[in-house]
Amino acid sequence: MLAEFLGTFVLILLGVGSVAVAVVGLPGSGRQFVDFGPANWLIICWGWGLAVVFGIYVAGGISGAHINPAVTLAFAVRRDFPLKKVPAYWLAQLCGAFVAAALVYACYRWAIDAADAKAGLARDESLATYSIFATFPAEYFGDSWWGPLLDQIVGTGILLLLVCALIDLKNVAPLSNLHPFLIGLVVVAIGLTFGTNAGYAINPARDFGPRLFTYFEGWGDIALPGTFGWFSGYWWIPIVGPLIGGVAGVLVYDLIIKPVVTARARAMEAQEEGPATEEA
């Protein structure tokens, strides 16, 4: 549990920190003089990708570095992880995310307050500064819950499908402890391809831990129940969507790819052993 706590802590500390840089750090420090744009989005995508890499390196040797409740549930469904340990992992991940969000806030409180003051907004009216910590759906979805939910299912399904491929030693999995780097690149790819729909939470702890913190810190209804302008009651979508998507991703891999690579591995082992012979 401590390893999952610390791995998730590192994930959120660096990931949310990269969003803080892009949203309030660069503009407020005088180092950026243009509106939020593609360059800021690249900071966020690469920040989250590297956050995943180092979060896995921190906890991988002890807990397997799930650092994501969707990963924990998906591995339990495929019987790679004991079901009875799921609640403990989820609790550790949620606590790690909450504490990391608090530390990012402590470091960027001045920049957040300056950004809200410049915009003339009270904290509970500021979607921009809230978005440093947790996710929200794009305005084109309106008040529809189906579009963002589908986005989270698809994004997390891609994540788990590719994670399964990268850790399957019977397939073309990387060696020499390169898994964390490539899983981090998966997260970068998801951010670059599906990120703008709903902020690519793809991790219930990544969203709900910081969301809970922002609720206590004054963002009010934007955090819980997740209501602002075009969306309402949004808080559950980054939880339910990733949990469904994670299970779907491992099932797709296990039904389509795993049987074939397993059969081929057995055939190769049989060929290497050769026919049984009697000793002289």
Side-chain angles (χ1 to χ4, degrees), residues 26-63:
L26 284 172
S29 66
R31 294 178 174 87
Q32 177 176 313
F33 302 99
V34 296
D35 293 335
F36 185 100
N40 301 76
W41 189 252
L42 287 175
I43 291 172
I44 292 170
C45 290
W46 281 102
W48 278 108
L50 291 172
V52 169
V53 171
F54 295 116
I56 295 174
Y57 273 126
V58 165
I62 300 173
S63 67

Side-chain angles (χ1 to χ4, degrees), residues 131-229:
S131 71
I132 293 170
F133 299 94
T135 64
F136 66 93
E139 192 168 0
Y140 46 71
F141 285 122
D143 197 26
S144 168
W145 58 266
W146 169 239
L149 181 64
L150 177 63
D151 171 79
Q152 289 300 291
I153 292 172
V154 171
T156 317
I158 294 169
L159 173 65
L160 266 295
L161 171 67
L162 297 181
V163 165
C164 287
L166 289 170
I167 65 175
D168 188 351
L169 297 179
K170 295 183 179 67
N171 205 329
V172 289
L175 302 177
S176 302
N177 296 322
L178 287 175
H179 300 85
F181 279 103
L182 295 176
I183 293 172
L185 287 178
V186 170
V187 173
V188 173
I190 294 170
L192 293 175
T193 53
F194 289 90
T196 55
N197 273 338
Y200 73 112
I202 59 175
N203 180 337
R206 171 266 174 274
D207 186 85
F208 191 69
R211 181 183 295 271
L212 195 60
F213 173 78
T214 56
Y215 175 76
F216 290 128
E217 200 54 45
W219 274 272
D221 287 349
I222 303 178
L224 290 171
T227 298
F228 177 88

Side-chain angles (χ1 to χ4, degrees), residues 108 112 176 195:
Y108 278 97
I112 290 170
S176 302

